[in-house]
Amino acid sequence: MLPQQFLERMQQFLGEEYPAFLASYEQLRVHALRLNPQKTDAESFFLQRLFGLAPVPWAQNGFFYAPGEEPGKHPYHAAGVYYIQEPSAMAPVEYLFWDGKAGAVPMEQERVLDLCAAPGGKSTQIAAKMAGQGILLCNEIHPARAKILSENIERLGVANAMVTNETPEKLAQLFDGYFTRILVDAPCSGEGMFKKNEDAREEWSMENIALCAARQDGILDCAASMLSAGGKLVYSTCTFAPEENEGTITRFLCRHPEFAIEKVKTYPGMESGRPEWYEGAVREVADTVRLFPHHVKGEGHFLAVLKKAGRRETSAVSLGSRFGLERGMSDSVRRQPGNGVLEWEEFAHETLRESFGGNYIKFGDQLYLAPEGMPSTRQLKVLRPGLHLGTIQKNRLKPSHALALYLHPEQVRYRVDLPADSSEIRAYLSGQALQWEGEKGWHLVTVDGYSIGWAKQAGGVLKNHYPKGLRIHYA
């Protein structure tokens, strides 16, 4: 039930290609997941022979999975071993870090912004590229979606991310020329997702396309001001509408002559931008990239890689927001009981094989470890300022679920490893206590070696600390 006016437009645009395009809607959707290199690698994962995986050509850790498979219901999903993501949607982040070759490793001082980040697929992909280095700011304007974003950052074990719930305009006031790379996966009319998103089909109209295009112009202007000289901006949408693609980029380049489109390597099936689809388009938009569902195994997508003129600074250790860097607790405050640091150090001594510290931030009774060089949280709506260590309760630290998902088994003194196909892991994920003889105290629960949560041993019983909101009620 595709909108008739949409079909007429696409027939006009595509000409001889239109029948193949239309036929793609009769085909089954393809599904993919992206492995989390903080947890596993492709070689190790393939040995488990799960889900019938086949590589996504344009994504370093992306893999199609076979029809009928349900990786979202597997315990590895809860452990953050992978993220389920539409294959075409994996392309923009790959190009954000494309520096003449695919899979280029970012420098230690990268400061990256995902401006429209929920639900977190692209943010966690960025985090995988950064491998715990540099600063990642993930922002989402809608509070409920920002919460989902924060939860996915937690599930994938990301420690160097700051999650905010702000408008692009507010961020632009605070971060002039701060970021070295910015992703704008812009809100759009969603034409490329019609196959899976009924709401997008029902809300489609030419008026909505115009509204989206105007909104994109404003978001991109904010992003332009936040990008450092020599920095890279990737703009992407999941729509075919040229007003939101070639048109948005044309208007942007006219307003910002300091930017230029970067011509990039493409993969089989990827198409060039279509300047002929938008009246007045600059010819350079032919160097943008389109993904059509009748040419690639994926849904519709568009992306443009934009480079800002100037020489990139190779280091900016002292650079922060308008309010500088986040300083966290002073040494005198750290040593006071109840502020969290002493409690954390006691927990770490009892539970971890190796302690780690740094810049501590306390929000209420919650203790966080901020990444080195994180900008100030002042005047920002912050959901997650780094790694959540735990909750301070009666001068003790109760470790967070985020900490469990971040840790590796070799970092803890005590752990309980449960097979993925066992009744014990199902019992654990449903919130049940387990009979277990062992040392008293906190145990990291793992599934086939992947960290998944906490349990506390006392009297031969492992008390379950898997979060109530995440528990799975098996039939």
Side-chain angles (χ1 to χ4, degrees):
M1 298 295 292
L2 298 172
Q4 184 59 38
Q5 191 175 7
F6 163 74
L7 292 174
E8 292 170 358
R9 269 168 52 96
M10 293 309 299
Q11 185 172 17
Q12 179 183 350
F13 288 147
L14 290 170
E16 294 180 355
E17 289 186 60
Y18 178 72
F21 171 79
L22 193 60
S24 71
Y25 287 89
E26 303 300 323
Q27 299 168 3
L28 291 175
R29 281 176 53 207
V30 294
H31 299 274
L33 57 80
R34 183 173 39 75
L35 296 180
N36 179 4
Q38 300 290 83
K39 295 268 186 176
T40 191
D41 60 80
E43 184 177 355
S44 300
F45 197 81
F46 263 76
L47 292 176
Q48 301 179 61
R49 300 183 182 277
L50 290 173
F51 313 135
L53 301 183
V56 174
W58 50 84
Q60 188 177 17
N61 291 299
F63 297 90
F64 300 105
Y65 60 85
E69 295 285 357
E70 296 182 309
K73 295 182 178 181
H74 197 281
Y76 290 177
H77 182 264
V81 180
Y82 48 76
Y83 189 101
I84 296 173
Q85 189 174 16
E86 200 283 315
S88 294
M90 298 179 188
V93 171
E94 295 294 329
Y95 285 108
L96 184 65
F97 288 94
W98 187 85
D99 288 315
K101 60 179 181 178
V105 178
M107 292 163 42
E108 186 176 4
Q109 293 299 327
E110 292 283 5
R111 302 175 301 280
V112 184
L113 170 63
D114 187 355
L115 186 52
C116 313
K122 293 180 176 68
S123 285
T124 55
Q125 189 178 2
I126 291 170
K129 295 286 185 185
M130 298 179 75
Q133 300 183 72
I135 301 295
L136 170 59
L137 195 154
C138 314
N139 181 70
E140 173 57 44
I141 191 172
H142 299 289
R145 286 171 55 80
K147 184 180 179 183
I148 295 170
L149 165 65
S150 184
E151 290 169 351
N152 278 318
I153 290 292
E154 175 179 285
R155 183 172 63 84
L156 274 287
V158 179
N160 64 324
M162 181 179 184
V163 180
T164 59
N165 170 215
E166 291 289 359
T167 65
E169 291 78 11
K170 176 66 175 292
L171 292 179
Q173 292 172 12
L174 301 176
F175 291 99
D176 183 48
Y178 173 76
F179 296 101
T180 56
R181 300 177 195 261
I182 297 178
L183 176 68
V184 176
D185 186 43
C188 67
S189 57
E191 293 176 351
M193 296 293 124
F194 279 177
K195 187 183 288 189
K196 76 169 190 175
N197 191 332
E198 184 177 348
D199 289 341
R201 297 196 298 269
E202 292 179 352
E203 294 170 5
W204 185 91
S205 68
M206 292 302 297
E207 291 76 17
N208 189 41
I209 287 174
L211 287 171
C212 288
R215 187 184 302 124
Q216 292 152 5
D217 288 348
I219 293 171
L220 276 175
D221 287 345
C222 292
S225 72
M226 289 188 278
L227 191 66
S228 63
K232 181 179 291 189
L233 166 63
V234 170
Y235 171 81
S236 65
T237 72
C238 56
T239 190
F240 304 113
E243 297 87 344
E244 303 176 65
N245 295 332
E246 291 87 354
T248 294
I249 297 303
T250 291
R251 298 189 299 274
F252 176 78
L253 292 175
C254 290
R255 296 192 306 275
H256 297 277
E258 72 276 20
F259 279 84
I261 296 174
E262 190 171 45
K263 188 175 178 62
V264 295
K265 170 189 173 181
T266 57
Y267 294 82
M270 289 184 176
E271 300 281 317
S272 299
R274 303 290 182 96
E276 68 274 14
W277 287 8
Y278 183 78
E279 186 176 355
V282 294
R283 59 180 178 82
E284 290 86 354
V285 297
D287 290 331
T288 60
V289 180
R290 279 184 172 272
L291 288 81
F292 288 105
H294 58 297
H295 289 314
V296 300
K297 290 178 64 176
E299 304 301 324
H301 233 77
F302 170 90
L303 66 92
V305 182
L306 299 155
K307 192 78 177 288
K308 191 172 187 177
R311 188 172 186 176
R312 175 174 166 166
E313 294 291 333
T314 57
S315 65
V317 176
S318 63
L319 185 64
S321 72
R322 200 177 80 191
F323 297 104
L325 298 177
E326 181 58 51
R327 300 299 178 186
M329 296 184 198
S330 66
D331 288 340
S332 60
V333 172
R334 288 184 185 205
R335 308 324 300 173
Q336 296 175 14
N339 280 335
V341 179
L342 292 177
E343 292 79 3
W344 159 252
E345 290 175 346
E346 181 181 0
F347 166 83
H349 176 74
E350 295 173 350
T351 311
L352 306 183
R353 292 188 181 277
E354 54 184 63
S355 184
F356 50 89
N359 195 11
Y360 298 102
I361 302 176
K362 192 163 179 275
F363 280 8
D365 59 357
Q366 308 300 313
L367 184 68
Y368 289 82
L369 186 66
E372 188 69 29
M374 190 181 84
S376 172
T377 59
R378 187 178 170 190
Q379 290 198 9
L380 284 172
K381 297 176 187 174
V382 179
L383 279 72
R384 183 175 296 270
L387 176 62
H388 185 200
L389 297 177
T391 305
I392 311 304
Q393 296 178 339
K394 299 178 181 179
N395 292 330
R396 298 283 290 179
L397 181 131
K398 178 183 177 183
S400 71
H401 187 56
L403 178 63
L405 292 169
Y406 170 74
L407 291 169
H408 290 270
E410 62 271 15
Q411 294 177 286
V412 299
R413 296 185 185 278
Y414 314 120
R415 73 167 173 130
V416 179
D417 191 45
L418 306 175
D421 58 356
S422 68
S423 58
E424 287 84 1
I425 191 63
R426 290 165 66 93
Y428 176 75
L429 292 175
S430 64
Q432 299 177 40
L434 301 175
Q435 298 297 315
W436 191 271
E437 296 295 335
E439 296 291 334
K440 182 180 178 180
W442 289 101
H443 287 55
L444 182 69
V445 180
T446 59
V447 53
D448 294 341
Y450 301 124
S451 58
I452 199 168
W454 291 110
K456 196 171 187 181
Q457 206 278 350
V461 174
L462 279 173
K463 184 179 179 181
N464 196 310
H465 283 267
Y466 194 70
K468 291 181 179 179
L470 300 178
R471 291 177 182 177
I472 301 170
H473 301 288
Y474 294 97

